[in-house]
């Protein structure tokens, strides 16, 4: 579903300028706090009115200052998930869930309530009031409520920022699963790079009120390393098997050995690029549990360091070395190297 | 044993009737004014704020006199609107209702605003994105969430209405059986010889009514608290 926005909005001394067209089902909006992300989302939802410009979704004009079109938010069929769940405190979980569903035209009711309740695992909460739900439960009900209004597009305004770090990836899984199962495109706002990389393919960056630059999530991650703590590999791994004091995860057609943290096995891991050690020749004896040969696909500038994109069998991995080391090792495109990673370098996310 | 005269009984009934009517008449406009002052930004907000709160600081007698000038036979509302329609308000119980409503209006608006200001604006936004129109969101989100303020405001207005004296005596007069409410009846008894006992008895009725109102208020708010939990 194509979303086109070219709009301007002045709020006091703050000025938002947006000009972009996105056509993916997983779009991110990334930028620091106060950069205008929420203002932008409100304009798309119809909760705010641009000073001038045009907004259209799937070919339908939602706002056009020239022809005076402004479709009311309740007629846009654009759902919204807020930072705090914003459940109606005077209604039960059941009534909250059905609030949008009841107001949705029967012709548009394609998503069945019991299917949503099932995916979000909130069946046991239906009869309860919303006051004594936990943060994660509240956000799950809010996701269900938004999805049951059968939106054409779902806007998410930092839905994870008010949630405990330990629960974040659980909610991410619910968000991704429900949107995938019910085939709803979404726009996801965050100021956290990690959330952006997990949730979005294409990312709109917002800076100082300017929302015009579209990049891929991967490019965003590589570009952001100059001032942050370096590039971080995100690995999605499956089917762990116990191998002594470590877990062996399937990674492409080989295994990665990851230290047992005592927590239940995860599927998503962080691996800092600087923890990938490169060797010119195969190191015979080494304490790192993962050693494999790789081909350098590409090198890129990361400020004082050099980014090295490696092809390891069927998988890609980014390593980070100092420029001097890169010169000495003659790392260039096509070079054959050996990479070593300690089992302790992986950080499970959830 | 004291015996209430028929006109005493009618004073008690009239007091209750005036207070209830003034409360019901004021609820919709008080809700609208509280809503506008909480959720809207518009020109003349300060002027509206001052106008709404003026009866709180003006002496009731002054309010009564202003109403008399407005609604009386030569007042511009009385002359140009009420008389052509054949409506006579001054010196009827309806005038007492208007006087009471005007005097109690700021109390009611304040109580409703207090509970409205605690409503997160995003709840209204959530309702709108879920397909609720503006009216729908008002009745399904704002009204239920400001119900405490609506009740508190009604109680304040009702209690103020039971005691209204200054404005009422000017616009409605003190006609036994027609516009004489409890405070006016007490005033009459106090200023007549041997009226002390009857004045005391009517004071007692006032106390009973006020205590009953406070108990009802407490009971409703406790029920609401236990239902929320």
């Amino acid at each position: 579903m194509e979303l086109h926005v070219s709009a301007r909005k002045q709020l006091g001394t703050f000025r938002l300028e947006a000009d972009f067209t996105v056509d993916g089902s997983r779009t991110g909006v990334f930028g620091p706090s106060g950069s205008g992300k929420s203002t932008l989302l409100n304009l798309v939802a119809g909760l705010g009115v641009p000073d001038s410009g045009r907004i259209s979704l799937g070919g339908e004009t939602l706002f056009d200052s020239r022809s005076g079109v402004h479709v009311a938010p309740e007629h846009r069929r654009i759902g919204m998930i807020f930072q705090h769940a914003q459940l109606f405190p005077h209604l039960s979980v059941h009534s909250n869930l059905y609030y949008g569903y009841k107001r949705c035209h029967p012709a548009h009711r394609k998503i069945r309530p019991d299917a949503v309740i099932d995916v979000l695992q909130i069946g046991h909460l239906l009869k309860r009031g919303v006051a004594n739900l936990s943060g994660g439960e509240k956000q799950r009900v809010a996701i269900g409520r938004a999805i049951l209004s059968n939106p054409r597009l779902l806007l998410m305004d930092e839905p994870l920022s008010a949630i405990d770090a330990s629960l974040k990836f659980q909610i991410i899984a619910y968000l991704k699963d429900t949107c995938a199962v019910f085939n709803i495109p979404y726009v996801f706002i965050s100021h956290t790079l990690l959330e952006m990389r997990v949730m979005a393919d294409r990312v709109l960056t917002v800076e100082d009120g300017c929302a015009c630059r579209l990049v891929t999530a991967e490019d965003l991650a590589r570009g952001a390393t100059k001032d942050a703590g370096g590039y971080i590999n995100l690995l999605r791994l499956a089917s762990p098997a116990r191998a002594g004091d470590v877990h062996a995860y399937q990674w492409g057609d080989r295994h990665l050995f990851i230290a047992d943290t005592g927590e239940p096995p995860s599927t998503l891991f962080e691996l800092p690029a600087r923890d990938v050690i490169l060797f010119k020749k195969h190191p015979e004896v080494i304490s790192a549990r993962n050693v494999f040969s790789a081909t350098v696909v590409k090198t890129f500038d990361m400020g004082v360091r050099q980014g090295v994109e490696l092809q390891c069998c069927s998988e890609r991995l980014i390593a980070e070395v100092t420029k001097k080391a890169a010169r000495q090792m003659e790392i260039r495109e096509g070079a054959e190297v050996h990479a070593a990673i300690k089992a302790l370098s992986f950080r499970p996310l959830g | 044993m004291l015996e209430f005269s028929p006109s005493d009984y009618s004073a008690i009934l009239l007091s209750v009737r005036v207070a209830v009517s003034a409360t019901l008449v004021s609820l919709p406009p008080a809700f609208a004014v509280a809503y506008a002052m909480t959720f809207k930004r518009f020109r003349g907000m300060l002027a509206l704020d001052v106008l709404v709160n003026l009866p709180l600081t003006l002496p009731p007698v002054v309010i009564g006199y202003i109403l008399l000038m407005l609604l009386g036979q030569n007042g511009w509302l009385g002359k140009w609107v009420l008389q052509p329609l054949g409506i006579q308000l001054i010196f009827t119980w309806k005038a007492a209702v208007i006087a009471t409503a005007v005097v109690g209006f700021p109390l009611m608006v304040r109580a409703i605003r207090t509970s409205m200001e605690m409503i997160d604006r995003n709840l209204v936004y959530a309702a709108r994105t879920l397909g609720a129109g503006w009216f729908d969101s008002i009745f399904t989100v704002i009204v239920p969430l400001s119900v405490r303020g609506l009740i508190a405001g009604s109680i304040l207005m009702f209690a103020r209405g039971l005691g209204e004296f200054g404005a009422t005596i000017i616009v409605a007069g003190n006609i036994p059986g027609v516009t004489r409410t409890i405070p006016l009846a007490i005033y009459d008894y106090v200023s007549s010889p041997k009226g002390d006992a009857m004045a005391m008895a009517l004071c007692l009725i006032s106390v009973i009514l006020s205590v009953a109102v406070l108990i009802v208020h407490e009971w409703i708010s406790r029920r609401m608290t236990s239902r929320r939990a």
Side-chain angles (χ1 to χ4, degrees):
Chain A
M1 177 142 313
E2 188 184 88
L3 172 67
H4 166 77
V5 178
S6 61
R8 280 142 297 282
K9 173 86 177 168
Q10 186 88 35
L11 285 169
T13 57
F14 177 77
R15 184 176 165 81
L16 176 75
E17 184 108 27
D19 196 352
F20 62 90
T21 305
V22 286
D23 198 7
S25 59
R26 288 159 35 94
T27 308
V29 177
F30 181 76
S33 305
S35 57
K37 304 188 296 293
S38 295
T39 308
L40 174 67
L41 232 59
N42 283 351
L43 296 185
V44 174
L47 299 170
V49 185
D51 298 331
S52 64
R54 190 169 174 275
I55 298 173
S56 67
L57 177 66
E60 185 198 332
T61 303
L62 298 177
F63 176 84
D64 192 340
S65 55
R66 257 184 248 163
S67 52
V69 176
H70 174 66
V71 178
E74 63 269 26
H75 296 133
R76 292 195 179 191
R77 295 188 55 222
I78 295 179
M80 192 138 169
I81 297 175
F82 297 82
Q83 186 173 351
H84 303 278
Q86 303 298 355
L87 298 179
F88 302 122
H90 56 295
L91 300 177
S92 68
V93 169
H94 182 275
S95 305
N96 265 286
L97 277 175
Y98 280 78
Y99 190 93
Y101 186 75
K102 275 193 249 165
R103 286 164 176 77
C104 174
H105 192 278
H108 296 310
R109 286 184 192 162
K110 298 207 172 72
I111 299 170
R112 288 197 345 271
D114 44 341
V116 174
I117 291 166
D118 209 37
V119 172
L120 292 167
Q121 299 175 2
I122 46 178
H124 60 292
L125 303 173
L126 291 180
K127 290 211 170 68
R128 298 207 355 220
V130 298
N132 43 15
L133 298 182
S134 72
E137 287 171 337
K138 277 187 186 159
Q139 203 55 288
R140 265 147 70 195
V141 175
I143 297 169
R145 181 179 69 172
I147 294 217
L148 276 178
S149 68
N150 287 267
R152 297 184 284 178
L153 175 72
L154 193 55
L155 307 177
M156 308 180 187
D157 191 356
E158 308 222 11
L160 305 167
S161 60
I163 286 181
D164 271 6
S166 58
L167 276 175
K168 231 172 221 188
F169 286 89
Q170 212 185 330
I171 297 297
I172 284 185
Y174 281 121
L175 275 175
K176 287 176 67 174
D177 289 355
T178 28
C179 288
V181 168
F182 301 109
N183 198 15
I184 300 173
Y186 61 77
V187 175
F188 178 87
I189 279 194
S190 181
H191 60 265
T192 318
L193 183 60
L194 178 62
E195 290 175 12
M196 206 55 6
R197 292 176 66 192
V198 180
M199 288 296 292
D201 300 324
R202 299 272 285 165
V203 177
L204 176 75
T205 56
V206 185
E207 241 169 310
D208 298 329
C210 177
C212 311
R213 202 167 69 91
L214 264 171
V215 293
T216 65
E218 184 59 29
D219 284 345
L220 182 73
R222 289 186 196 185
T225 52
K226 280 170 191 141
D227 37 37
Y231 182 87
I232 291 182
N233 290 289
L234 279 183
L235 303 175
R236 198 165 288 285
L237 305 172
S239 45
R242 231 189 144 77
D245 56 344
V246 294
H247 286 294
Y249 282 82
Q250 196 71 38
W251 186 54
D253 45 14
R254 54 170 296 123
H255 282 102
L256 276 183
F257 297 103
I258 295 178
D260 184 5
T261 51
E263 287 165 35
S266 320
T267 54
L268 188 64
F269 290 90
E270 266 188 349
L271 172 66
R274 58 176 58 162
D275 285 357
V276 181
I277 308 163
L278 300 185
F279 296 87
K280 210 143 182 208
K281 292 188 185 124
H282 192 286
E284 292 286 306
V285 184
I286 183 172
S287 69
R289 298 298 305 268
N290 302 289
V291 182
F292 42 84
S293 58
T295 314
V296 177
V297 181
K298 199 175 140 194
T299 61
F300 55 95
D301 189 46
M302 290 172 74
V304 291
R305 290 180 295 274
Q306 186 88 41
V308 185
E309 188 172 343
L310 303 168
Q311 179 83 41
C312 323
C313 301
S314 57
E315 300 295 320
R316 292 270 169 124
L317 199 66
I318 305 279
E320 199 177 307
V321 293
T322 59
K323 288 194 167 151
K324 194 175 174 193
R327 271 199 308 278
Q328 282 179 351
M329 289 182 68
E330 295 167 333
I331 288 175
R332 61 178 76 88
E333 271 174 47
E336 294 291 330
V337 292
H338 294 274
I341 310 164
K342 296 178 74 165
L344 283 165
S345 297
F346 296 89
R347 196 169 81 85
L349 289 175
Chain B
M1 183 65 200
L2 287 167
E3 285 274 327
F4 284 127
S5 69
S7 87
D8 292 333
Y9 281 119
S10 79
I12 295 168
L13 276 180
L14 187 67
S15 271
V16 173
R17 188 167 158 208
V18 166
V20 169
S21 308
T23 307
L24 294 180
V25 165
S26 312
L27 265 176
F31 180 85
V33 168
Y35 173 82
M37 298 211 306
T38 312
F39 291 101
K40 300 281 167 198
R41 294 274 162 277
F42 53 92
R43 263 163 201 269
M45 226 167 107
L46 184 67
L48 180 69
D49 202 11
V50 169
L51 186 72
V52 163
N53 283 308
L54 204 55
L56 214 55
T57 47
L58 277 181
V61 175
V62 174
I63 297 169
Y65 190 66
I66 293 172
L67 284 175
L68 188 64
M69 291 201 300
L70 261 169
L71 306 171
Q73 288 198 343
N74 293 318
W76 56 266
L77 257 179
K79 197 168 184 176
W80 304 110
V81 182
L82 299 177
Q83 271 191 17
L85 291 170
I87 300 171
Q88 165 74 28
L89 284 179
I90 299 302
F91 301 125
T92 69
W93 74 278
K94 288 173 199 145
V97 171
I98 292 174
T100 304
V102 170
V103 171
F105 199 69
L107 298 173
M108 191 176 237
V109 170
R110 272 166 185 250
I112 300 174
R113 263 184 87 175
T114 308
S115 66
M116 267 188 192
E117 270 158 10
M118 300 199 326
I119 301 175
D120 191 329
R121 201 166 290 241
N122 279 332
L123 283 175
V124 183
Y125 287 165
R128 296 298 296 275
T129 59
L130 289 166
W134 181 76
F135 263 111
D136 192 352
S137 72
I138 295 239
F139 283 101
T140 56
V141 179
I142 296 190
V143 169
L145 289 179
S146 45
V147 79
R148 272 164 187 278
L150 289 166
I151 291 170
S154 302
I155 299 281
L156 279 174
M157 169 73 93
F158 183 80
R160 184 72 187 79
L162 285 179
E164 219 309 293
F165 180 87
T168 310
I169 200 165
I170 290 195
V171 283
N174 185 2
I175 311 163
V178 182
T179 62
R180 179 182 288 172
T181 54
I182 297 176
L184 297 175
I186 292 174
Y187 173 73
D188 258 16
Y189 278 122
V190 171
S191 43
S192 65
K194 295 181 194 163
D196 284 354
M198 287 309 290
M200 276 295 281
L202 282 175
C203 284
L204 192 65
I205 296 288
S206 281
V207 171
I208 291 170
L209 280 171
S210 301
V211 170
V213 163
L214 288 176
I215 289 176
V216 167
H217 180 217
E218 196 61 24
W219 179 72
I220 293 175
S221 30
R222 278 193 192 183
R223 262 188 66 132
M224 287 183 59
T225 317
S226 65
R227 207 178 49 185
R228 282 276 168 84

